[in-house]
Amino acid sequence: MPAPPTPRLPSPRRQKPSNSAGSSSGSTRHGSFGELALLRRIRLRAAHSQSPELQLGIGDDCAILRPAPGEELTVTTDLSIAGRHFSLDWHPAESIGHRALARGLSDLAAMGARPVAAFLSLALPRDLVQRVKGREPRSAVRRSAPAPFIERFLDGFFALAQAHQLPLAGGDLAESPHAVADVILTGAVSKGKALLRSGAKPGDLIYVTGQLGAAAVGLEHLIALAAALKRERSRQKSSPLPPIPPRLKALLNRHLFPTPRVAQGLWLARNALATAAIDLSDGLTTDLAHLCAESGVAAELDPAALPFAALATPDQVLNGGEDYELLFTSPPGARIPSSIEGVPVTQIGRIVDARKGSAKPSESPITLITSKGAVRLTPQGWQHFV
């Protein structure tokens, strides 16, 4: 996968809209885009990727998809909302675009599906599609104005899409007081071969890809960095926010630019080794509880086996979320390699009968097996409306 675009921490948003009078190119004199001009820009950028299943893409009232013989389509949808899934004051626009797409790609990975087409709907305040008017520099050389949020959002979105040969097949645009990105993805999988949450059986072993807690560590440091830069900016009101320091990029990128495990999901489906699977978007305890609920089982975890990311705490490993690793179960006799497509795989526990794992239906199905005995884990990952 190519390196993500180099982001900058965003400056505070300017709320005053620019003049909406358009030029012949469809952009306003302050560098904003009208809806039709923006659609043309997106369509031009989307033309670089195609898939054989996409028969008709942007330009008509609907897209037309035709799955290959012997395949069926999977569909997933994810909302990304400012103030809930990202912060316009913390997250670079490139990261917001990348993350909006990564969430759906991770869902496809969990089903063992190959990405086929994306649909992107955006509701944005007007100032996020305008160039920021900077002060005139003292030198005789004019500096170009920073690219508007929308361009940098699309940089992140399309960089990840092109890495997975995923075409943009359509979407919608609207002006809104709040920034929202709605991404619908379709994938393809051989008939009857999709990885489901509902196939785990007592005796199966539990595995995860990669390391856990890295995204939570990155978010923690991002919040601290943004707070420090905000204090610095309050002392030097005219100074722009600098790029993310190189020493922090690797730490922050697991949060800012997560890697969906698409290749690993395809490998699991192709080799028919997983009885159930789910992606870790809301946290290990929460997502494992989802899998247990759909399969009608319980789970026991070995705390010594959990693959801790650098600097991660036990809480971040168990409940942090947004790692977008794959959790899957396999029969005890299955030969699971130590790595899949270059990503380490770790056995972290086993599936048990629901009656053993939980005395009451209302109790958590997850138990941590420690040297001092069994400890029931209450899922404490991400959950809306609580």
Side-chain angles (χ1 to χ4, degrees), residues 40 191 194:
R40 286 194 294 270
K191 287 184 179 180

Side-chain angles (χ1 to χ4, degrees), residues 256-326:
L256 295 174
F257 297 98
T259 302
R261 301 305 188 188
V262 175
Q264 291 70 30
L266 291 172
W267 188 95
L268 288 170
R270 186 168 60 247
N271 289 277
L273 290 178
T275 54
I278 190 171
D279 73 312
L280 298 182
S281 55
D282 295 327
L284 173 61
T285 56
T286 295
D287 291 317
L288 178 54
H290 292 328
L291 185 146
C292 288
E294 293 302 319
S295 293
V297 297
E300 294 179 345
L301 295 179
D302 176 3
L306 295 174
F308 276 61
L311 305 180
T313 66
D315 180 67
Q316 290 170 329
V317 168
L318 291 171
N319 305 306
E322 293 193 324
D323 283 318
Y324 298 112
E325 299 292 349
L326 294 184

Side-chain angles (χ1 to χ4, degrees), residues 357-381:
S358 179
K360 299 177 182 178
S362 60
E363 289 183 339
S364 168
I366 306 171
T367 302
L368 198 66
I369 306 300
T370 72
S371 59
K372 297 181 180 180
V375 178
R376 194 172 303 282
L377 288 179
T378 300
Q380 296 181 14

Side-chain angles (χ1 to χ4, degrees), residues 1-367:
M1 178 175 295
T6 301
R8 289 177 177 267
L9 287 173
S11 300
R13 294 179 298 139
R14 300 186 178 223
Q15 299 295 334
K16 183 179 178 181
S18 65
N19 193 307
S20 60
S23 67
S24 60
S25 66
S27 61
T28 72
R29 65 189 182 192
H30 283 176
S32 65
F33 296 104
E35 181 183 359
L36 296 180
L38 182 54
L39 284 171
R40 286 194 294 270
R41 290 282 297 166
I42 294 173
R43 185 175 185 178
L44 182 65
R45 298 188 67 163
H48 297 293
S49 296
Q50 296 294 326
S51 73
E53 293 84 4
L54 180 59
Q55 302 295 301
L56 181 66
I58 297 174
D60 232 297
D61 289 305
C62 295
I64 298 177
L65 302 175
R66 181 182 300 159
E71 290 190 330
E72 49 196 0
L73 292 177
T74 60
V75 182
T76 183
T77 181
D78 282 288
L79 279 172
S80 294
I81 303 172
R84 180 58 57 181
H85 300 97
F86 62 89
S87 169
L88 290 167
D89 294 325
W90 302 343
H91 291 90
E94 298 90 343
S95 167
I96 298 171
H98 177 107
R99 286 162 49 86
L101 180 58
R103 298 173 67 200
L105 284 171
S106 188
D107 288 335
L108 295 184
M111 301 287 285
R114 171 174 48 82
V116 166
F119 299 83
L120 171 64
S121 294
L122 292 171
L124 297 172
R126 188 180 303 180
D127 64 315
L128 294 188
V129 297
Q130 296 170 340
R131 291 188 182 276
V132 178
K133 284 186 66 182
R135 292 185 173 183
E136 195 73 24
R138 293 182 178 180
S139 67
V141 179
R142 290 180 63 93
R143 297 172 184 169
S144 60
F149 170 93
I150 183 61
E151 288 283 8
R152 293 180 290 118
F153 174 96
L154 293 173
D155 286 344
F157 183 93
F158 281 115
L160 184 58
Q162 289 167 13
H164 292 278
Q165 299 179 321
L166 176 67
L168 181 64
D172 198 9
L173 292 173
E175 186 173 345
S176 165
H178 305 290
V180 178
D182 181 26
V183 177
I184 297 174
L185 297 186
T186 61
V189 63
S190 296
K191 287 184 179 180
K193 300 299 184 181
L195 306 178
L196 307 178
R197 299 179 180 183
S198 55
K201 296 177 175 56
D204 285 353
L205 303 180
I206 304 171
Y207 297 86
V208 292
T209 61
Q211 296 178 321
L212 304 180
V217 171
L219 176 59
E220 181 180 61
H221 282 77
L222 179 65
I223 293 172
L225 176 62
L229 291 175
K230 185 177 181 180
R231 290 193 298 269
E232 178 67 20
R233 188 173 175 82
S234 68
R235 291 193 293 267
Q236 303 177 23
K237 293 184 179 180
S238 62
S239 63
L241 291 173
I244 292 173
R247 62 184 175 83
L248 290 179
K249 278 187 179 179
L251 189 65
L252 299 182
N253 275 355
R254 289 294 302 274
H255 170 75
L256 295 174
F257 297 98
T259 302
R261 301 305 188 188
V262 175
Q264 291 70 30
L266 291 172
W267 188 95
L268 288 170
R270 186 168 60 247
N271 289 277
L273 290 178
T275 54
I278 190 171
D279 73 312
L280 298 182
S281 55
D282 295 327
L284 173 61
T285 56
T286 295
D287 291 317
L288 178 54
H290 292 328
L291 185 146
C292 288
E294 293 302 319
S295 293
V297 297
E300 294 179 345
L301 295 179
D302 176 3
L306 295 174
F308 276 61
L311 305 180
T313 66
D315 180 67
Q316 290 170 329
V317 168
L318 291 171
N319 305 306
E322 293 193 324
D323 283 318
Y324 298 112
E325 299 292 349
L326 294 184
L327 180 146
F328 62 95
T329 59
S330 289
R335 301 184 66 177
I336 303 299
S338 59
S339 68
I340 296 176
E341 301 292 343
V343 175
V345 175
T346 306
Q347 180 192 331
I348 62 170
R350 67 189 185 108
I351 297 295
V352 297
D353 189 282
R355 290 170 293 184
K356 177 182 178 182
S358 179
K360 299 177 182 178
S362 60
E363 289 183 339
S364 168
I366 306 171
T367 302

